[in-house]
Amino acid sequence: MTDLVVPTPTPDLTVDAFTRAFLRELNFGQGVELAASSVNDQYLALARTVRQFLISRWLETQKRQREAQAKSIAYLSAEFLLGRQLDNALLATNLEEIAGEALRGLDIDLAELRDAEVEPGLGNGGLGRLAACFIDSLATMSVPSIGYGIRYEYGIFRQTFVDGKQVEQPDNWLELGSPWEFPHPEAAVTVSFGGTTSVEVDENGVDRTTWTPSWSVLAMPYNYMVPGYHNGRVNTLRLWSAKATHAFDLSTFNAGEYADAVRSQTFAENISKVLYPEDSTPQGKELRLQQQYFFVAASIRNFIDQVLPEDFDLHRLSERVMFQLNDTHPVIAVPELMRILVDEKGFGWDEAWAVTRKCFAYTCHTLLPEALEVWPTELLGRLLPRHLEIIYQINDDFLAEVRAAHPGDELRARRMSIVAEHPERAVRMAYLATVAGAKVNGVAELHSQLLRDKVLDDFATMWPEKFTNVTNGVTPRRFMRLSNPPLSRLITEAIGSGWLTDLERLSELEPYAKDAEFVRRFQEVKGRNKRRLAGVLEHRDGIEINQDAMLDVMVKRLHEYKRQMLKVLHVVTQYDRILSGELKVEDVTPRTVVFGAKAAPGYRMAKDIIWLINSVAKVVNNDPAVQDKLKIAFPANYNVTLAETLIPAADLSEQISLAGKEASGTGNMKFALNGALTIGTLDGANVEIRELVGGENFFLFGLDEPAVAALVDSGYHPSSYYEQNTSLRRALDLIASGAFSDGDRHAFEPIVSNLLYQDRFLVLADYQAYLDAQAEVDLAYADKDAWAGKAILNISRSGFFSSDRSMRDYLERIWHAAPVH
């Protein structure tokens, strides 16, 4: 029996046909007439109409993959920050104009339906957005792939501000329905936890371990379509939702114990309830580990049992799949595959390990030691006893290899052990991934070098061939074509079409940086984008901005190493100079400084910095002495949707993390591709951006990584910078005086004291260099035509930072897979 695949709609689809399809969905899908329909009804009907034109391609893609049995990439990630789906689907199906005209004929505004879509908050920042960019590129490049993650019921929290302080609210993104997902309860996978293990001798005299779990949950898959750009391919993102194996106890309910009757359902569904549950408690830590094992166990089981042919020889597994570990969250997949091969499939240990080591690759996304996950053996042994046994055996075999290569060097063996003995016995997941992975990569040239030289140096010495670099990238479909239509049109008029799938062609724009007419039109585009942002911020947040001012933007997760505090000190210094008369108001370059950042709920210092930013904004924005020359905007709940409006409007991109701390960054790439100039340190991908766009088109400041290390090693005393720098002393004293806290001198004392006596990320050491670079920014911005020319050069020289190029690098250097056109 052959699969029935509905043919793709013909290219000459008419507006009338689309209108009929939309009304059919509205009537028979939503059960309402047009006259009685709500905006949400209309949005859901439109989404289901558009997805019809993807489903046939999706089914055809799956059919061809079953036939070809080509090698697939299984991308395991705890986060997928997708953004809104409607525009992406309209772009992939080339239905933007037809849908818009059809809706206008029904007196419906497409823009209003776009705004009705709620963005799924299934990520915390760069890690999740990178994963979404990568699966977009894999589909566009016709690479067989499947993304695996968690369908968090509430995702990342919705940020609100109360008296300037961050307050977390649940992000109920599923409340009004999600038309882009396809639930498959019949394909649910059982995932087990706890229990005990026992050893028995099989018929061949081999010891076999049996795991007897104490409890289980069901992992129910929800499939999302991942369309390529105008190539007919639609890959799959599979997100897992936790369900109870026995959700409801009728006898308990009938006995009047209503809460107990659904206790198992509540317990199970907690696993996929919230992205990154607060883990300062033992219960929070355990729930995080449950989440990680839950999704990788379901994913590996799904690939082996439902993607591979029934009679597939698992000795050849590496010919059919590479499991890409997106950071340490999915690393528990390594012992899970070993468990399946050894305990369930009857493999010998050595043959199972030989297979496993070819099937995993590990991307490290951090240089911060505290961000490299470790799990206490007590917790692992209680929750996943068989997996801890497997990890112990992997470690024993590995340490034997280390000792054989370095006899007598027991200190090296201790350093490299997957199992740390101090301060508590714990499994170092990054080490496990490095030992098990076929390849280990960093995400920018500097980051990869520091991984090899500092973070995983012993491993790089032992296996230099394992380590490589793949610099991150972003998808130009979303972050140029969808987020910045006027710039995309201008580029296409200049260099023709095709650049959206070959971003290196942006180099053809370089001569236009000196073309007066093109520069003028680029400035018009930037002005239009600023007006659009102003409208969004006023409607969304009640924030008014000066559309004629420089738009100075710092948007990223709030962490001390990213140094939002350095930006705050710059703002406070400018404000102080205006108040003191050191700067005449008429000589000040007008600036609107925009922050966007969420702090982890348990990260006290980060939340205090958010409070300080809002407190400074309240004073500065309402002081008539500033005369609209300096304003601060901090819209709450920064997300992908707001980024798509904010980034195209930006003039200056703040990438000011301490050198040697940022892995790569992708916001820096998005800003450069949309015509913002960067002020930044030599950190992460800033290094490569500066090399490509030219030092004259990048505002560099601060210590480089070797200088940072030397300063720290020699003994860093931040208070000495305070004592020697008058501007810095006045800025910190102004904060400490209560000037931004209604006279309360204690409000921001933790921040001031931390900077004066600890300053782990060298804010005070880089303060003066940062101010000097900002003075250069002011001078450069005064010549608007020259600034625009530099912005155009940033665009033309940033084609390297496409996620399509990143995927080519992964395919060639790590996955050894090929597109299937």
Side-chain angles (χ1 to χ4, degrees):
M1 180 178 178
T2 59
D3 292 317
L4 175 63
V5 178
V6 180
T8 303
T10 56
D12 57 351
L13 173 74
T14 65
V15 171
D16 286 344
F18 189 91
T19 302
R20 289 194 300 272
F22 169 76
L23 291 173
R24 187 165 56 248
E25 281 290 346
L26 191 64
N27 296 157
F28 299 108
Q30 286 302 106
V32 295
E33 293 182 345
L34 178 60
S37 62
S38 66
V39 170
N40 192 59
D41 287 326
Q42 295 166 10
Y43 159 69
L44 292 173
L46 175 60
R48 292 192 181 108
T49 304
V50 174
R51 80 178 192 180
Q52 289 176 22
F53 298 94
L54 288 174
I55 288 175
S56 57
R57 306 176 192 183
W58 191 27
L59 298 177
E60 181 67 18
T61 298
Q62 295 172 40
K63 174 175 176 286
R64 290 180 182 273
Q65 179 63 7
R66 285 194 300 271
E67 293 170 349
Q69 290 296 300
K71 185 172 184 177
S72 294
I73 309 307
Y75 200 83
L76 301 174
S77 179
E79 301 182 33
F80 285 95
L81 198 53
L82 300 172
R84 289 174 172 174
Q85 295 298 289
L86 175 59
D87 275 338
N88 195 55
L90 286 169
L91 179 65
T93 53
N94 204 23
L95 286 173
E96 295 168 286
E97 293 185 9
I98 287 176
E101 189 174 343
L103 293 173
R104 282 194 297 274
L106 298 172
D107 201 24
I108 296 173
D109 183 1
L110 175 57
E112 188 175 13
L113 302 195
R114 284 187 172 115
D115 290 341
E117 182 174 1
V118 179
E119 175 185 325
L122 303 179
N124 187 38
L127 185 79
R129 187 51 242 174
L130 184 76
C133 284
F134 280 4
I135 60 175
D136 171 273
S137 285
L138 287 168
T140 295
M141 296 168 65
S142 298
V143 177
S145 66
I146 181 168
Y148 284 113
I150 301 177
R151 180 185 180 266
Y152 302 100
E153 184 177 345
Y154 289 102
I156 190 67
F157 61 85
R158 181 172 58 84
Q159 181 190 53
T160 59
F161 296 138
V162 176
D163 296 328
K165 298 180 180 180
Q166 173 179 293
V167 176
E168 300 89 27
Q169 302 288 349
D171 177 22
N172 193 3
W173 65 280
L174 292 167
E175 185 176 20
L176 296 177
S178 177
W180 303 105
E181 62 183 20
F182 295 81
H184 285 280
E186 78 290 346
V189 175
T190 300
V191 179
S192 300
F193 298 90
T196 58
T197 63
S198 58
V199 179
E200 298 176 358
V201 180
D202 67 11
E203 62 274 12
N204 298 316
V206 178
D207 288 349
R208 293 293 179 188
T209 300
T210 300
W211 176 27
T212 307
S214 57
W215 58 282
S216 302
V217 300
L218 290 178
M220 178 174 157
Y222 287 76
N223 293 337
Y224 284 72
M225 294 181 289
V226 183
Y229 177 71
H230 295 182
N231 67 344
R233 187 174 191 94
V234 181
N235 285 337
T236 300
L237 169 64
R238 183 160 294 139
L239 302 179
W240 300 99
S241 179
K243 308 292 180 184
T245 52
H246 303 287
F248 182 68
D249 188 327
L250 183 60
S251 61
T252 303
F253 184 86
N254 286 336
E257 298 174 2
Y258 305 130
D260 288 343
V262 294
R263 189 176 303 279
S264 63
Q265 178 182 0
T266 302
F267 182 76
E269 292 180 358
N270 279 342
I271 291 177
S272 57
K273 188 71 73 177
V274 175
L275 170 67
Y276 296 154
E278 214 283 303
D279 64 350
S280 61
T281 65
Q283 297 90 335
K285 283 186 172 65
E286 182 168 339
L287 183 55
R288 279 211 186 188
L289 183 55
Q290 288 174 9
Q291 285 186 335
Q292 292 179 8
Y293 177 65
F294 164 78
F295 96 86
V296 299
S299 302
I300 291 177
R301 178 68 67 188
N302 170 260
F303 195 89
I304 290 175
D305 291 352
Q306 298 178 26
V307 176
L308 293 176
E310 191 173 344
D311 58 351
F312 186 81
D313 179 6
L314 290 176
H315 291 89
R316 298 172 45 236
L317 184 59
S318 64
E319 298 174 18
R320 280 288 282 110
V321 69
M322 176 64 84
F323 292 105
Q324 183 65 39
L325 305 171
N326 192 30
D327 219 357
T328 51
H329 310 120
V331 173
I332 196 68
V334 170
E336 172 64 6
L337 180 57
M338 286 293 292
R339 185 191 69 80
I340 291 172
L341 294 178
V342 174
D343 296 355
E344 297 184 9
K345 305 299 182 181
F347 278 47
W349 177 269
D350 290 342
E351 61 179 333
W353 185 236
V355 170
T356 298
R357 294 188 75 172
K358 295 177 183 176
C359 290
F360 288 101
Y362 165 50
T363 301
C364 180
H365 284 278
T366 187
L367 291 167
L368 300 178
E370 64 267 28
L372 295 171
E373 282 188 311
V374 295
W375 289 111
T377 55
E378 182 279 327
L379 174 58
L380 260 172
R382 179 162 41 85
L383 202 62
L384 299 167
R386 178 56 179 146
H387 298 73
L388 183 59
E389 292 176 353
I390 291 170
I391 291 169
Y392 281 153
Q393 186 165 349
I394 291 172
N395 194 46
D396 288 345
D397 293 350
F398 167 61
L399 291 182
E401 191 177 346
V402 172
R403 290 181 175 114
H406 303 276
D409 193 349
E410 194 57 28
L411 191 57
R412 179 184 295 270
R414 283 179 172 271
R415 287 199 311 266
M416 297 182 73
S417 176
I418 295 168
V419 180
E421 301 294 342
H422 182 79
E424 63 176 336
R425 202 153 203 251
V427 176
R428 298 187 270 212
M429 303 306 280
Y431 288 15
L432 176 58
T434 302
V435 171
K439 287 285 186 179
V440 177
N441 74 283
V443 290
E445 287 288 356
L446 175 62
H447 175 243
S448 295
Q449 176 190 328
L450 293 173
L451 271 185
R452 292 189 298 266
D453 296 348
K454 294 193 173 185
V455 180
L456 298 171
D457 52 325
D458 287 325
F459 296 90
T461 299
M462 187 169 185
W463 296 308
E465 72 285 352
K466 266 196 184 192
F467 287 78
T468 189
N469 173 65
V470 177
T471 299
N472 285 341
V474 301
T475 169
R477 272 76 63 184
R478 180 173 291 275
F479 288 105
M480 295 188 77
R481 172 61 180 79
L482 290 179
S483 65
N484 202 341
L487 178 62
S488 298
R489 286 193 294 269
L490 182 62
I491 292 172
T492 300
E493 287 178 24
I495 66 173
S497 60
W499 58 272
L500 279 174
T501 52
D502 183 9
L503 204 62
E504 297 278 8
R505 283 196 56 207
L506 288 179
S507 62
E508 297 171 32
L509 280 178
E510 185 152 343
Y512 290 92
K514 296 181 179 180
D515 182 304
E517 177 60 16
F518 189 88
V519 166
R520 183 191 65 77
R521 294 183 64 192
F522 172 79
Q523 291 169 323
E524 287 180 353
V525 165
K526 187 64 75 172
R528 189 183 314 171
N529 288 333
K530 285 185 178 182
R531 291 192 293 275
R532 178 171 64 130
L533 173 65
V536 168
L537 290 180
E538 185 170 9
H539 174 73
R540 179 187 186 270
D541 303 277
I543 294 173
E544 295 184 7
I545 64 171
N546 178 1
Q547 298 174 33
D548 297 322
M550 179 202 304
L551 199 66
D552 178 357
V553 181
M554 186 170 190
V555 286
K556 49 189 78 247
R557 180 169 52 90
L558 202 305
H559 195 290
E560 288 167 273
Y561 86 82
K562 294 179 183 287
R563 302 203 296 189
Q564 284 91 346
M565 197 57 225
L566 186 55
K567 181 74 239 177
V568 175
L569 287 175
H570 172 235
V571 171
V572 172
T573 296
Q574 287 294 91
Y575 178 60
D576 176 61
R577 287 174 171 176
I578 293 171
L579 291 185
S580 68
E582 182 180 341
L583 274 179
K584 295 180 180 179
V585 177
E586 58 269 23
D587 295 336
V588 174
T589 301
R591 282 194 197 222
T592 297
V593 179
V594 181
F595 289 93
K598 291 182 180 180
Y603 191 172
R604 175 63 187 274
M605 182 58 69
K607 295 178 83 168
D608 281 351
I609 292 171
I610 285 177
W611 182 27
L612 174 60
I613 294 170
N614 280 322
S615 299
V616 171
K618 182 179 177 182
V619 172
V620 172
N621 292 351
N622 291 288
D623 191 335
V626 176
Q627 296 182 16
D628 208 32
K629 291 296 185 80
L630 180 62
K631 294 294 181 184
I632 303 169
F634 194 165
N637 205 46
Y638 180 73
N639 57 14
V640 177
T641 301
L642 182 55
E644 290 171 6
T645 303
L646 175 58
I647 290 172
D651 294 306
L652 186 66
S653 165
E654 299 273 353
Q655 309 298 331
I656 60 177
S657 54
L658 178 64
K661 298 302 178 184
E662 185 72 81
S664 168
T666 52
N668 46 8
M669 303 169 188
K670 295 164 192 167
F671 281 106
L673 283 165
N674 281 275
L677 273 61
T678 302
I679 182 169
T681 54
L682 287 176
D683 195 27
N686 288 357
V687 177
E688 288 150 278
I689 291 175
R690 183 172 180 268
E691 287 175 355
L692 288 168
V693 306
E696 68 279 9
N697 302 308
F698 184 109
F699 299 98
L700 176 67
F701 78 95
L703 301 168
D704 61 12
E705 192 277 331
V708 168
L711 179 57
V712 172
D713 290 344
S714 66
Y716 173 53
H717 303 288
S719 58
S720 65
Y721 292 84
Y722 167 83
E723 292 164 356
Q724 295 166 16
N725 190 307
T726 303
S727 295
L728 175 59
R729 186 167 62 251
R730 284 169 53 172
L732 283 173
D733 287 352
L734 197 60
I735 294 170
S737 72
F740 304 110
S741 48
D742 296 322
D744 183 356
R745 291 178 172 270
H746 302 290
F748 301 118
E749 180 58 32
I751 294 176
V752 174
S753 292
N754 175 270
L755 289 173
L756 288 175
Y757 305 116
Q758 185 177 9
D759 192 18
R760 182 181 167 198
F761 299 106
L762 279 58
V763 170
L764 303 196
D766 272 349
Y767 167 84
Q768 187 58 53
Y770 182 56
L771 257 62
D772 294 343
Q774 289 287 4
E776 293 177 23
V777 169
D778 286 337
L779 286 173
Y781 194 73
D783 186 339
K784 296 296 177 61
D785 289 347
W787 181 279
K790 289 175 179 288
I792 294 165
L793 288 175
N794 266 260
I795 297 169
S796 68
R797 296 173 180 177
S798 293
F800 174 80
F801 298 107
S802 168
S803 50
D804 298 350
R805 188 269 315 149
S806 297
M807 291 300 90
R808 285 194 298 272
D809 288 350
Y810 273 98
L811 289 167
E812 294 170 6
R813 301 173 188 175
I814 297 175
W815 298 334
H816 306 298
V820 177
H821 295 288

